[in-house]
Amino acid sequence: MKLFIDTADVAQIREASSWGIVDGVTTNPTHVAKTGRKPAEVYREICDLVDGPISLETISLKADEIVAEGRKLAAIHKNVVVKVPIVREGLKAVKVFAAEGIRTNVTVTFSPLQAMLAAKCGATYISPFVGRLDAVGHDGMEVVRQIREIYDNYDFETQILTAAVRHPQHVLQAALAGSDCCTMAYEVLEQLYNHPLTDQGVELFLKDWSKVPKDA
Ligand code: E4P
């Protein structure tokens, strides 16, 4: 499963990239707003840091405006994936992008039927927001499982990009469900490394090694 970092914080992206596990980046308007910086600068720096899919989101609500905005975003760098909310006008734009060879990440997705529509329009990625579904008492990961089944039933090539991930258990369940990619905050990426038994084990080995006679 490809691992993406979900942020527009360049320092976090730089650090996580150095670990060798980051396959791509997803941003959104909220992440960009948090940086307090101009989007163009932020996007350029991210593209210089990561050689993988980088989702940059459109904010227009009419198909022709989304297309115009997305074309500009796609022109920033070959790795840019145009992120489009799954509204009707958005999917019209996705179809145009697909015909032009511009990759898309269809976002703010909450149902398998929405995901089926996005695949029919030629979306490259579909982003179901599992954590937001869990937060309102639904089973977010069940949506991922159902999308997997639909896409496999009909050989859709759209990749599932599990999003709004809150903790490592979401990442594990996404991997078990056959999600193609999973995007998460820096903090969740960090948590994937952690296990108390690993810490204890390493500490014990070092303690024992200190008792070993050393070569001259
Ligand atoms: C994914 O691409 C989104 O940027 C992200 O996961 C949004 O979810 P959140 O704001 O609920 O974390």
PDB file of all heavy atoms in Angstrom, residues 70-103:
ATOM      1  N   GLY A  70      -7.855  23.454 -12.478  1.00  0.00           N
ATOM      2  CA  GLY A  70      -7.081  22.209 -12.455  1.00  0.00           C
ATOM      3  C   GLY A  70      -5.968  22.202 -13.486  1.00  0.00           C
ATOM      4  O   GLY A  70      -4.875  21.690 -13.219  1.00  0.00           O
ATOM      5  N   ARG A  71      -6.235  22.759 -14.652  1.00  0.00           N
ATOM      6  CA  ARG A  71      -5.185  22.808 -15.687  1.00  0.00           C
ATOM      7  C   ARG A  71      -3.993  23.616 -15.186  1.00  0.00           C
ATOM      8  O   ARG A  71      -2.835  23.263 -15.421  1.00  0.00           O
ATOM      9  CB  ARG A  71      -5.728  23.444 -16.966  1.00  0.00           C
ATOM     10  CG  ARG A  71      -6.597  22.490 -17.787  1.00  0.00           C
ATOM     11  CD  ARG A  71      -7.110  23.202 -19.028  1.00  0.00           C
ATOM     12  NE  ARG A  71      -8.030  22.375 -19.787  1.00  0.00           N
ATOM     13  CZ  ARG A  71      -9.088  22.839 -20.458  1.00  0.00           C
ATOM     14  NH1 ARG A  71      -9.369  24.141 -20.464  1.00  0.00           N
ATOM     15  NH2 ARG A  71      -9.867  22.011 -21.134  1.00  0.00           N
ATOM     16  N   LYS A  72      -4.292  24.731 -14.481  1.00  0.00           N
ATOM     17  CA  LYS A  72      -3.188  25.555 -13.941  1.00  0.00           C
ATOM     18  C   LYS A  72      -2.404  24.781 -12.894  1.00  0.00           C
ATOM     19  O   LYS A  72      -1.170  24.826 -12.856  1.00  0.00           O
ATOM     20  CB  LYS A  72      -3.760  26.832 -13.306  1.00  0.00           C
ATOM     21  CG  LYS A  72      -4.085  27.895 -14.308  1.00  0.00           C
ATOM     22  CD  LYS A  72      -4.395  29.210 -13.615  1.00  0.00           C
ATOM     23  CE  LYS A  72      -5.092  30.140 -14.596  1.00  0.00           C
ATOM     24  NZ  LYS A  72      -6.025  31.060 -13.990  1.00  0.00           N
ATOM     25  N   LEU A  73      -3.126  24.058 -12.034  1.00  0.00           N
ATOM     26  CA  LEU A  73      -2.436  23.276 -10.994  1.00  0.00           C
ATOM     27  C   LEU A  73      -1.571  22.191 -11.644  1.00  0.00           C
ATOM     28  O   LEU A  73      -0.421  21.985 -11.265  1.00  0.00           O
ATOM     29  CB  LEU A  73      -3.455  22.634 -10.042  1.00  0.00           C
ATOM     30  CG  LEU A  73      -4.218  23.595  -9.124  1.00  0.00           C
ATOM     31  CD1 LEU A  73      -5.320  22.851  -8.363  1.00  0.00           C
ATOM     32  CD2 LEU A  73      -3.265  24.274  -8.133  1.00  0.00           C
ATOM     33  N   ALA A  74      -2.143  21.524 -12.649  1.00  0.00           N
ATOM     34  CA  ALA A  74      -1.411  20.433 -13.309  1.00  0.00           C
ATOM     35  C   ALA A  74      -0.145  20.945 -13.999  1.00  0.00           C
ATOM     36  O   ALA A  74       0.833  20.197 -14.155  1.00  0.00           O
ATOM     37  CB  ALA A  74      -2.317  19.730 -14.317  1.00  0.00           C
ATOM     38  N   ALA A  75      -0.175  22.215 -14.411  1.00  0.00           N
ATOM     39  CA  ALA A  75       0.988  22.783 -15.111  1.00  0.00           C
ATOM     40  C   ALA A  75       2.146  23.088 -14.163  1.00  0.00           C
ATOM     41  O   ALA A  75       3.267  23.337 -14.611  1.00  0.00           O
ATOM     42  CB  ALA A  75       0.572  24.056 -15.846  1.00  0.00           C
ATOM     43  N   ILE A  76       1.890  23.040 -12.862  1.00  0.00           N
ATOM     44  CA  ILE A  76       2.960  23.363 -11.897  1.00  0.00           C
ATOM     45  C   ILE A  76       4.093  22.338 -11.983  1.00  0.00           C
ATOM     46  O   ILE A  76       5.267  22.672 -11.947  1.00  0.00           O
ATOM     47  CB  ILE A  76       2.400  23.414 -10.452  1.00  0.00           C
ATOM     48  CG1 ILE A  76       1.425  24.593 -10.308  1.00  0.00           C
ATOM     49  CG2 ILE A  76       3.531  23.521  -9.423  1.00  0.00           C
ATOM     50  CD1 ILE A  76       0.725  24.649  -8.950  1.00  0.00           C
ATOM     51  N   HIS A  77       3.706  21.053 -12.104  1.00  0.00           N
ATOM     52  CA  HIS A  77       4.729  19.983 -12.091  1.00  0.00           C
ATOM     53  C   HIS A  77       4.105  18.698 -12.615  1.00  0.00           C
ATOM     54  O   HIS A  77       2.897  18.484 -12.452  1.00  0.00           O
ATOM     55  CB  HIS A  77       5.221  19.786 -10.646  1.00  0.00           C
ATOM     56  CG  HIS A  77       6.456  18.947 -10.532  1.00  0.00           C
ATOM     57  ND1 HIS A  77       6.425  17.570 -10.524  1.00  0.00           N
ATOM     58  CD2 HIS A  77       7.762  19.298 -10.407  1.00  0.00           C
ATOM     59  CE1 HIS A  77       7.661  17.108 -10.399  1.00  0.00           C
ATOM     60  NE2 HIS A  77       8.494  18.133 -10.330  1.00  0.00           N
ATOM     61  N   LYS A  78       4.935  17.834 -13.181  1.00  0.00           N
ATOM     62  CA  LYS A  78       4.411  16.578 -13.757  1.00  0.00           C
ATOM     63  C   LYS A  78       3.778  15.663 -12.702  1.00  0.00           C
ATOM     64  O   LYS A  78       2.965  14.798 -13.018  1.00  0.00           O
ATOM     65  CB  LYS A  78       5.521  15.832 -14.508  1.00  0.00           C
ATOM     66  CG  LYS A  78       6.636  15.308 -13.610  1.00  0.00           C
ATOM     67  CD  LYS A  78       7.659  14.482 -14.371  1.00  0.00           C
ATOM     68  CE  LYS A  78       8.866  14.097 -13.559  1.00  0.00           C
ATOM     69  NZ  LYS A  78       8.675  13.483 -12.260  1.00  0.00           N
ATOM     70  N   ASN A  79       4.161  15.842 -11.441  1.00  0.00           N
ATOM     71  CA  ASN A  79       3.629  14.963 -10.391  1.00  0.00           C
ATOM     72  C   ASN A  79       2.305  15.428  -9.797  1.00  0.00           C
ATOM     73  O   ASN A  79       1.727  14.748  -8.938  1.00  0.00           O
ATOM     74  CB  ASN A  79       4.642  14.821  -9.247  1.00  0.00           C
ATOM     75  CG  ASN A  79       5.803  13.929  -9.636  1.00  0.00           C
ATOM     76  OD1 ASN A  79       5.674  13.114 -10.552  1.00  0.00           O
ATOM     77  ND2 ASN A  79       6.930  14.083  -8.968  1.00  0.00           N
ATOM     78  N   VAL A  80       1.828  16.586 -10.241  1.00  0.00           N
ATOM     79  CA  VAL A  80       0.585  17.110  -9.639  1.00  0.00           C
ATOM     80  C   VAL A  80      -0.623  16.269 -10.046  1.00  0.00           C
ATOM     81  O   VAL A  80      -0.796  15.905 -11.209  1.00  0.00           O
ATOM     82  CB  VAL A  80       0.360  18.586 -10.045  1.00  0.00           C
ATOM     83  CG1 VAL A  80      -1.055  19.043  -9.659  1.00  0.00           C
ATOM     84  CG2 VAL A  80       1.405  19.472  -9.379  1.00  0.00           C
ATOM     85  N   VAL A  81      -1.428  15.944  -9.039  1.00  0.00           N
ATOM     86  CA  VAL A  81      -2.718  15.282  -9.233  1.00  0.00           C
ATOM     87  C   VAL A  81      -3.767  16.307  -8.818  1.00  0.00           C
ATOM     88  O   VAL A  81      -3.675  16.880  -7.717  1.00  0.00           O
ATOM     89  CB  VAL A  81      -2.822  14.024  -8.334  1.00  0.00           C
ATOM     90  CG1 VAL A  81      -4.206  13.417  -8.411  1.00  0.00           C
ATOM     91  CG2 VAL A  81      -1.760  13.000  -8.721  1.00  0.00           C
ATOM     92  N   VAL A  82      -4.733  16.557  -9.684  1.00  0.00           N
ATOM     93  CA  VAL A  82      -5.735  17.588  -9.388  1.00  0.00           C
ATOM     94  C   VAL A  82      -6.820  16.980  -8.491  1.00  0.00           C
ATOM     95  O   VAL A  82      -7.475  16.003  -8.847  1.00  0.00           O
ATOM     96  CB  VAL A  82      -6.343  18.152 -10.685  1.00  0.00           C
ATOM     97  CG1 VAL A  82      -7.428  19.171 -10.359  1.00  0.00           C
ATOM     98  CG2 VAL A  82      -5.254  18.777 -11.547  1.00  0.00           C
ATOM     99  N   LYS A  83      -6.963  17.588  -7.306  1.00  0.00           N
ATOM    100  CA  LYS A  83      -7.921  17.062  -6.326  1.00  0.00           C
ATOM    101  C   LYS A  83      -9.251  17.798  -6.510  1.00  0.00           C
ATOM    102  O   LYS A  83      -9.286  19.030  -6.508  1.00  0.00           O
ATOM    103  CB  LYS A  83      -7.347  17.301  -4.932  1.00  0.00           C
ATOM    104  CG  LYS A  83      -7.882  16.395  -3.855  1.00  0.00           C
ATOM    105  CD  LYS A  83      -7.053  16.607  -2.584  1.00  0.00           C
ATOM    106  CE  LYS A  83      -7.572  15.789  -1.458  1.00  0.00           C
ATOM    107  NZ  LYS A  83      -6.936  16.174  -0.186  1.00  0.00           N
ATOM    108  N   VAL A  84     -10.316  17.017  -6.675  1.00  0.00           N
ATOM    109  CA  VAL A  84     -11.619  17.606  -6.998  1.00  0.00           C
ATOM    110  C   VAL A  84     -12.681  17.027  -6.062  1.00  0.00           C
ATOM    111  O   VAL A  84     -12.814  15.804  -5.947  1.00  0.00           O
ATOM    112  CB  VAL A  84     -12.011  17.259  -8.462  1.00  0.00           C
ATOM    113  CG1 VAL A  84     -13.333  17.908  -8.838  1.00  0.00           C
ATOM    114  CG2 VAL A  84     -10.926  17.673  -9.439  1.00  0.00           C
ATOM    115  N   PRO A  85     -13.463  17.874  -5.396  1.00  0.00           N
ATOM    116  CA  PRO A  85     -14.541  17.361  -4.548  1.00  0.00           C
ATOM    117  C   PRO A  85     -15.600  16.611  -5.363  1.00  0.00           C
ATOM    118  O   PRO A  85     -15.896  16.979  -6.511  1.00  0.00           O
ATOM    119  CB  PRO A  85     -15.142  18.621  -3.918  1.00  0.00           C
ATOM    120  CG  PRO A  85     -14.078  19.652  -4.031  1.00  0.00           C
ATOM    121  CD  PRO A  85     -13.323  19.331  -5.292  1.00  0.00           C
ATOM    122  N   ILE A  86     -16.179  15.571  -4.745  1.00  0.00           N
ATOM    123  CA  ILE A  86     -17.102  14.700  -5.470  1.00  0.00           C
ATOM    124  C   ILE A  86     -18.518  15.292  -5.515  1.00  0.00           C
ATOM    125  O   ILE A  86     -19.462  14.730  -4.981  1.00  0.00           O
ATOM    126  CB  ILE A  86     -17.078  13.272  -4.881  1.00  0.00           C
ATOM    127  CG1 ILE A  86     -17.749  12.269  -5.810  1.00  0.00           C
ATOM    128  CG2 ILE A  86     -17.688  13.213  -3.488  1.00  0.00           C
ATOM    129  CD1 ILE A  86     -17.335  10.851  -5.552  1.00  0.00           C
ATOM    130  N   VAL A  87     -18.619  16.443  -6.175  1.00  0.00           N
ATOM    131  CA  VAL A  87     -19.933  17.025  -6.464  1.00  0.00           C
ATOM    132  C   VAL A  87     -20.182  16.806  -7.955  1.00  0.00           C
ATOM    133  O   VAL A  87     -19.262  16.436  -8.688  1.00  0.00           O
ATOM    134  CB  VAL A  87     -19.969  18.533  -6.108  1.00  0.00           C
ATOM    135  CG1 VAL A  87     -19.875  18.730  -4.596  1.00  0.00           C
ATOM    136  CG2 VAL A  87     -18.844  19.290  -6.812  1.00  0.00           C
ATOM    137  N   ARG A  88     -21.406  17.019  -8.403  1.00  0.00           N
ATOM    138  CA  ARG A  88     -21.726  16.704  -9.801  1.00  0.00           C
ATOM    139  C   ARG A  88     -20.849  17.500 -10.774  1.00  0.00           C
ATOM    140  O   ARG A  88     -20.311  16.959 -11.739  1.00  0.00           O
ATOM    141  CB  ARG A  88     -23.207  16.996 -10.070  1.00  0.00           C
ATOM    142  CG  ARG A  88     -23.731  16.183 -11.231  1.00  0.00           C
ATOM    143  CD  ARG A  88     -25.182  16.472 -11.510  1.00  0.00           C
ATOM    144  NE  ARG A  88     -26.009  16.403 -10.308  1.00  0.00           N
ATOM    145  CZ  ARG A  88     -27.317  16.694 -10.279  1.00  0.00           C
ATOM    146  NH1 ARG A  88     -27.930  17.080 -11.367  1.00  0.00           N
ATOM    147  NH2 ARG A  88     -27.992  16.621  -9.157  1.00  0.00           N
ATOM    148  N   GLU A  89     -20.677  18.789 -10.491  1.00  0.00           N
ATOM    149  CA  GLU A  89     -19.837  19.621 -11.356  1.00  0.00           C
ATOM    150  C   GLU A  89     -18.378  19.142 -11.315  1.00  0.00           C
ATOM    151  O   GLU A  89     -17.655  19.200 -12.315  1.00  0.00           O
ATOM    152  CB  GLU A  89     -19.919  21.084 -10.910  1.00  0.00           C
ATOM    153  CG  GLU A  89     -21.282  21.729 -11.157  1.00  0.00           C
ATOM    154  CD  GLU A  89     -21.562  21.935 -12.644  1.00  0.00           C
ATOM    155  OE1 GLU A  89     -20.741  22.569 -13.317  1.00  0.00           O
ATOM    156  OE2 GLU A  89     -22.602  21.442 -13.122  1.00  0.00           O
ATOM    157  N   GLY A  90     -17.971  18.657 -10.154  1.00  0.00           N
ATOM    158  CA  GLY A  90     -16.610  18.140 -10.008  1.00  0.00           C
ATOM    159  C   GLY A  90     -16.392  16.935 -10.902  1.00  0.00           C
ATOM    160  O   GLY A  90     -15.362  16.816 -11.577  1.00  0.00           O
ATOM    161  N   LEU A  91     -17.362  16.037 -10.922  1.00  0.00           N
ATOM    162  CA  LEU A  91     -17.202  14.824 -11.745  1.00  0.00           C
ATOM    163  C   LEU A  91     -17.249  15.138 -13.232  1.00  0.00           C
ATOM    164  O   LEU A  91     -16.585  14.470 -14.038  1.00  0.00           O
ATOM    165  CB  LEU A  91     -18.249  13.780 -11.360  1.00  0.00           C
ATOM    166  CG  LEU A  91     -18.028  13.128  -9.981  1.00  0.00           C
ATOM    167  CD1 LEU A  91     -19.009  11.984  -9.767  1.00  0.00           C
ATOM    168  CD2 LEU A  91     -16.600  12.647  -9.804  1.00  0.00           C
ATOM    169  N   LYS A  92     -18.006  16.173 -13.595  1.00  0.00           N
ATOM    170  CA  LYS A  92     -17.968  16.599 -15.011  1.00  0.00           C
ATOM    171  C   LYS A  92     -16.544  17.032 -15.373  1.00  0.00           C
ATOM    172  O   LYS A  92     -16.020  16.713 -16.445  1.00  0.00           O
ATOM    173  CB  LYS A  92     -18.954  17.767 -15.233  1.00  0.00           C
ATOM    174  CG  LYS A  92     -20.398  17.305 -15.388  1.00  0.00           C
ATOM    175  CD  LYS A  92     -21.397  18.402 -15.099  1.00  0.00           C
ATOM    176  CE  LYS A  92     -21.494  19.474 -16.144  1.00  0.00           C
ATOM    177  NZ  LYS A  92     -22.581  20.452 -15.811  1.00  0.00           N
ATOM    178  N   ALA A  93     -15.929  17.762 -14.453  1.00  0.00           N
ATOM    179  CA  ALA A  93     -14.554  18.222 -14.688  1.00  0.00           C
ATOM    180  C   ALA A  93     -13.585  17.043 -14.726  1.00  0.00           C
ATOM    181  O   ALA A  93     -12.658  17.007 -15.553  1.00  0.00           O
ATOM    182  CB  ALA A  93     -14.140  19.209 -13.594  1.00  0.00           C
ATOM    183  N   VAL A  94     -13.815  16.054 -13.867  1.00  0.00           N
ATOM    184  CA  VAL A  94     -12.935  14.880 -13.821  1.00  0.00           C
ATOM    185  C   VAL A  94     -12.922  14.175 -15.174  1.00  0.00           C
ATOM    186  O   VAL A  94     -11.880  13.722 -15.664  1.00  0.00           O
ATOM    187  CB  VAL A  94     -13.381  13.915 -12.690  1.00  0.00           C
ATOM    188  CG1 VAL A  94     -12.729  12.542 -12.831  1.00  0.00           C
ATOM    189  CG2 VAL A  94     -13.043  14.522 -11.327  1.00  0.00           C
ATOM    190  N   LYS A  95     -14.076  14.108 -15.800  1.00  0.00           N
ATOM    191  CA  LYS A  95     -14.166  13.471 -17.119  1.00  0.00           C
ATOM    192  C   LYS A  95     -13.310  14.228 -18.149  1.00  0.00           C
ATOM    193  O   LYS A  95     -12.623  13.620 -18.969  1.00  0.00           O
ATOM    194  CB  LYS A  95     -15.633  13.422 -17.554  1.00  0.00           C
ATOM    195  CG  LYS A  95     -15.863  12.502 -18.692  1.00  0.00           C
ATOM    196  CD  LYS A  95     -17.169  11.743 -18.603  1.00  0.00           C
ATOM    197  CE  LYS A  95     -17.144  10.680 -19.675  1.00  0.00           C
ATOM    198  NZ  LYS A  95     -18.280   9.813 -19.667  1.00  0.00           N
ATOM    199  N   VAL A  96     -13.349  15.545 -18.077  1.00  0.00           N
ATOM    200  CA  VAL A  96     -12.526  16.356 -18.997  1.00  0.00           C
ATOM    201  C   VAL A  96     -11.043  16.119 -18.708  1.00  0.00           C
ATOM    202  O   VAL A  96     -10.239  15.906 -19.628  1.00  0.00           O
ATOM    203  CB  VAL A  96     -12.859  17.868 -18.834  1.00  0.00           C
ATOM    204  CG1 VAL A  96     -11.939  18.725 -19.694  1.00  0.00           C
ATOM    205  CG2 VAL A  96     -14.326  18.128 -19.174  1.00  0.00           C
ATOM    206  N   PHE A  97     -10.697  16.128 -17.415  1.00  0.00           N
ATOM    207  CA  PHE A  97      -9.287  15.899 -17.055  1.00  0.00           C
ATOM    208  C   PHE A  97      -8.818  14.534 -17.566  1.00  0.00           C
ATOM    209  O   PHE A  97      -7.709  14.394 -18.077  1.00  0.00           O
ATOM    210  CB  PHE A  97      -9.099  15.966 -15.535  1.00  0.00           C
ATOM    211  CG  PHE A  97      -9.235  17.352 -14.956  1.00  0.00           C
ATOM    212  CD1 PHE A  97      -9.979  17.574 -13.798  1.00  0.00           C
ATOM    213  CD2 PHE A  97      -8.608  18.437 -15.550  1.00  0.00           C
ATOM    214  CE1 PHE A  97     -10.102  18.840 -13.264  1.00  0.00           C
ATOM    215  CE2 PHE A  97      -8.722  19.718 -15.012  1.00  0.00           C
ATOM    216  CZ  PHE A  97      -9.473  19.914 -13.861  1.00  0.00           C
ATOM    217  N   ALA A  98      -9.673  13.517 -17.404  1.00  0.00           N
ATOM    218  CA  ALA A  98      -9.292  12.162 -17.833  1.00  0.00           C
ATOM    219  C   ALA A  98      -8.992  12.151 -19.330  1.00  0.00           C
ATOM    220  O   ALA A  98      -8.007  11.547 -19.780  1.00  0.00           O
ATOM    221  CB  ALA A  98     -10.394  11.173 -17.490  1.00  0.00           C
ATOM    222  N   ALA A  99      -9.829  12.853 -20.096  1.00  0.00           N
ATOM    223  CA  ALA A  99      -9.628  12.904 -21.554  1.00  0.00           C
ATOM    224  C   ALA A  99      -8.331  13.629 -21.907  1.00  0.00           C
ATOM    225  O   ALA A  99      -7.720  13.354 -22.942  1.00  0.00           O
ATOM    226  CB  ALA A  99     -10.817  13.590 -22.212  1.00  0.00           C
ATOM    227  N   GLU A 100      -7.919  14.546 -21.045  1.00  0.00           N
ATOM    228  CA  GLU A 100      -6.696  15.317 -21.307  1.00  0.00           C
ATOM    229  C   GLU A 100      -5.449  14.669 -20.709  1.00  0.00           C
ATOM    230  O   GLU A 100      -4.355  15.221 -20.797  1.00  0.00           O
ATOM    231  CB  GLU A 100      -6.846  16.741 -20.727  1.00  0.00           C
ATOM    232  CG  GLU A 100      -7.897  17.557 -21.444  1.00  0.00           C
ATOM    233  CD  GLU A 100      -8.035  18.971 -20.884  1.00  0.00           C
ATOM    234  OE1 GLU A 100      -7.299  19.343 -19.947  1.00  0.00           O
ATOM    235  OE2 GLU A 100      -8.892  19.711 -21.401  1.00  0.00           O
ATOM    236  N   GLY A 101      -5.643  13.535 -20.022  1.00  0.00           N
ATOM    237  CA  GLY A 101      -4.493  12.864 -19.408  1.00  0.00           C
ATOM    238  C   GLY A 101      -4.044  13.514 -18.110  1.00  0.00           C
ATOM    239  O   GLY A 101      -2.924  13.282 -17.650  1.00  0.00           O
ATOM    240  N   ILE A 102      -4.901  14.334 -17.512  1.00  0.00           N
ATOM    241  CA  ILE A 102      -4.573  14.957 -16.218  1.00  0.00           C
ATOM    242  C   ILE A 102      -5.114  14.055 -15.107  1.00  0.00           C
ATOM    243  O   ILE A 102      -6.299  13.695 -15.111  1.00  0.00           O
ATOM    244  CB  ILE A 102      -5.183  16.376 -16.120  1.00  0.00           C
ATOM    245  CG1 ILE A 102      -4.490  17.301 -17.124  1.00  0.00           C
ATOM    246  CG2 ILE A 102      -5.089  16.924 -14.689  1.00  0.00           C
ATOM    247  CD1 ILE A 102      -5.074  18.709 -17.196  1.00  0.00           C
ATOM    248  N   ARG A 103      -4.235  13.666 -14.191  1.00  0.00           N
ATOM    249  CA  ARG A 103      -4.652  12.751 -13.118  1.00  0.00           C
ATOM    250  C   ARG A 103      -5.471  13.483 -12.055  1.00  0.00           C
ATOM    251  O   ARG A 103      -5.223  14.663 -11.766  1.00  0.00           O
ATOM    252  CB  ARG A 103      -3.429  12.101 -12.474  1.00  0.00           C
ATOM    253  CG  ARG A 103      -2.712  11.149 -13.427  1.00  0.00           C
ATOM    254  CD  ARG A 103      -1.501  10.533 -12.787  1.00  0.00           C
ATOM    255  NE  ARG A 103      -0.529  11.554 -12.414  1.00  0.00           N
ATOM    256  CZ  ARG A 103       0.466  11.363 -11.556  1.00  0.00           C
ATOM    257  NH1 ARG A 103       0.612  10.199 -10.961  1.00  0.00           N
ATOM    258  NH2 ARG A 103       1.319  12.326 -11.292  1.00  0.00           N
TER     259      ARG A 103
END
